[in-house]
Amino acid sequence: MSGGTIEVVDLTAPLAASTPILQLPPPFANTINFGLEEISRYDDRGPGWYWNNIHTGEHTGTHFDAPVHWVTGRDGDDVARVPVRRLVAPAVVIDVTDRVAADPDFLLEIEHVRAWEAEHGPLPAGGWLLLRTGWDARANDQEAILNADETGPHTPGVSVACAKWLAEEAPIIGIGVETVGTDAGAAHSFEPAFPCHAYLLGADKYGLTQLRNLDRLPPAGAVVIAPPLPIVGGSGSPIRVLALVER
Ligand code: 23J
Ligand code: MN
């Protein structure tokens, strides 16, 4: 680190009231926007200090999905129980920006991962698969990041077969994405619905969302530090995600 050969890349979106959030259709309940509630600011409520209460969903902004988030992982770990040893891990980046530019409903398939492996080597054991889609360009715009029309949201993700394979066959600990959730916008109508959540969280794996700066990572070789807050019983947590990259 002191020699300057390790760059620290922040993969986290800033957390503010304007940070986009997932919007589930009725009748489902939704998470809240992030919010700051001032307690005092060098005033008569506290003359020498400034502090806030925070209001947030567990799944607001750049966040971590724990196994217990999904019914398939209901007996799995909550965020406080996730072993910290698993939270410092290698990461690879699969860049599908071109395909997503042509088709916002693009789904990662097993064959795309196999093609990536043929060029860059196997997926990392105990590591992250980070999906670079270019969607981070929409990170400051709630409407653009959801990209919804009368047929629902159109955002990239992972196919049912690929999600099952990543959960059950691949050596990874989880998937990270630039969108508001690990599943594609159309995944509510997949069979099973929300396959990334259903298969990966059900296999004691994790999700990371609303990542940015993935274009600053190499295809392989980065180390990602992604520890959620130890919210006791929590299903997820806003998170600061850092990548270490050797230059
Ligand atoms: C709840 C229901 C559906 C989805 C999600 C949460 C997420 O994407 C999330 O943040 O975990 S798709
Ligand atoms: Mn989530």
Side-chain angles (χ1 to χ4, degrees):
M1 296 292 299
S2 62
T5 59
I6 307 289
E7 185 188 357
V8 181
V9 180
D10 192 351
L11 305 185
T12 321
L15 195 50
S18 58
T19 301
I21 52 173
L22 177 75
Q23 188 74 54
L24 295 174
F28 304 118
N30 276 294
T31 193
I32 60 169
N33 286 107
F34 184 80
L36 284 183
E37 176 197 1
E38 199 170 274
I39 305 170
S40 73
R41 194 163 194 157
Y42 331 118
D43 53 25
D44 54 5
R45 299 170 299 172
W49 49 93
Y50 166 54
W51 55 341
N52 300 293
N53 291 316
I54 59 174
H55 295 262
T56 185
E58 298 170 321
H59 300 258
T60 295
T62 301
H63 72 267
F64 184 101
D65 288 344
V68 76
H69 176 43
W70 220 252
V71 64
T72 49
R74 65 191 305 160
D75 298 322
D77 285 341
D78 62 55
V79 273
R81 290 178 182 270
V82 169
V84 290
R85 180 65 189 83
R86 300 184 79 189
L87 301 176
V88 180
V92 300
V93 181
I94 300 187
D95 187 344
V96 294
T97 306
D98 291 352
R99 290 182 163 96
V100 171
D103 174 16
D105 292 305
F106 169 83
L107 300 178
L108 186 74
E109 301 284 356
I110 299 170
E111 71 207 48
H112 298 129
V113 182
R114 288 303 192 198
W116 184 94
E117 287 184 309
E119 195 176 340
H120 300 287
L123 293 179
W128 295 99
L129 190 176
L130 305 180
L131 188 60
R132 162 104 181 114
T133 56
W135 217 255
D136 62 336
R138 302 164 180 253
N140 298 321
D141 186 334
Q142 172 79 53
E143 256 187 62
I145 202 167
L146 296 185
N147 197 37
D149 62 18
E150 45 315 324
T151 62
H154 296 278
T155 64
V158 179
S159 76
V160 171
C162 188
K164 189 172 196 311
W165 180 78
L166 290 173
E168 296 173 3
E169 314 279 342
I172 60 169
I173 52 155
I175 183 167
V177 300
E178 296 170 338
T179 44
V180 293
T182 54
D183 268 298
H188 57 87
S189 64
F190 293 0
E191 184 50 50
F194 306 113
C196 254
H197 286 83
Y199 287 124
L200 276 99
L201 301 181
D204 196 29
K205 296 185 177 185
Y206 313 127
L208 290 176
T209 65
Q210 284 186 55
L211 300 174
R212 62 175 189 163
N213 290 331
L214 293 183
D215 57 328
R216 292 173 55 190
L217 304 188
V223 169
V224 161
I225 305 169
L229 294 174
I231 301 168
V232 176
S235 75
S237 164
I239 189 178
R240 191 84 182 247
V241 183
L242 302 178
L244 306 181
V245 181
E246 192 163 19
R247 297 297 180 200

